[in-house]
Amino acid sequence: MVWRERAILFMDIRSFTAWAERCTPETVVQALNAYYAAAEPVLRRHGAIKLKFSADEILGVFPDSRQAAACARELRASAREALSPSGLMAGIGVHSGPVVEGLLGSAGMMGYDVIGDTVNTAKRIEGAAGGGEVLVSEAVRVALDPATRLGERREVVAKGKEMPVEVYPLL
């Protein structure tokens, strides 16, 4: 296990549980497979060190904020295309900072993963993003090219965080 600076991206489908409740399992699997198939090449093209699919959530770990933000922009479009036939949309959150990365698990099942407040905060930022929206943290904002178009600063009251988290919509 080592400490590293990483950018963490989460993408999650909005209202997925309610939608899935009304659908057949086959329909749900088809929609998820289309979502994954649209996201995976984008994540790989932008240099994701790790990607993980868990139900309707996608995690991407990147070496830096610029790569993660560029990926988020492209993911927004690919997710929209993959999910629109089902009437669904995804929200995306990106945060950067220190993580502990390495093999985690038990003797019988280990896998490479990242943990830490940076990961938790990225997840909370994603949770605040509306469908089709990308929110980036202040830590990501300062790493981006000054010409990057961002919306007005917002504060997100994130579960488990003492202070609100400053976020910016990525336009």
Side-chain angles (χ1 to χ4, degrees):
M1 302 289 268
V2 295
W3 281 93
R4 294 243 200 294
E5 289 287 322
R6 297 291 189 216
I8 308 297
L9 177 153
F10 278 100
M11 180 166 70
D12 195 73
I13 301 173
R14 299 297 173 246
S15 303
F16 179 77
T17 302
W19 173 83
E21 186 176 42
R22 299 185 307 270
C23 296
T24 66
E26 293 81 11
T27 300
V28 173
V29 168
Q30 287 172 349
L32 284 175
N33 283 341
Y35 173 62
Y36 298 155
E40 182 181 1
V42 175
L43 288 154
R44 292 199 190 282
R45 187 168 40 260
H46 288 280
I49 297 166
K50 174 182 178 56
L51 52 116
K52 180 167 51 174
F53 301 152
S54 179
D56 63 312
E57 177 182 273
I58 294 175
L59 162 74
V61 179
F62 295 85
D64 65 59
S65 295
R66 287 181 181 215
Q67 284 174 274
C71 183
R73 250 193 224 103
E74 193 174 337
L75 276 175
R76 174 174 39 204
S78 65
R80 182 178 295 128
E81 187 175 324
L83 295 172
S84 65
S86 301
L88 297 169
M89 297 180 80
I92 301 172
V94 184
H95 181 51
S96 65
V99 301
V100 175
E101 74 179 21
L103 292 176
L104 298 170
S106 65
M109 183 163 178
M110 296 203 80
Y112 166 84
D113 215 340
V114 293
I115 59 169
D117 183 62
T118 299
V119 179
N120 298 339
T121 301
K123 178 60 183 158
R124 299 297 185 226
I125 292 169
E126 171 269 308
E133 185 174 44
V134 176
L135 295 179
V136 300
S137 68
E138 173 67 13
V140 172
R141 184 199 65 80
V142 299
L144 297 177
D145 183 303
T148 302
R149 291 184 46 230
L150 298 170
E152 291 294 315
R153 181 182 72 83
R154 298 193 322 228
E155 287 189 347
V156 171
V157 177
K159 178 182 167 187
K161 302 292 286 179
E162 289 183 23
M163 300 294 293
V165 178
E166 292 181 8
V167 299
Y168 299 82
L170 185 61
L171 304 177

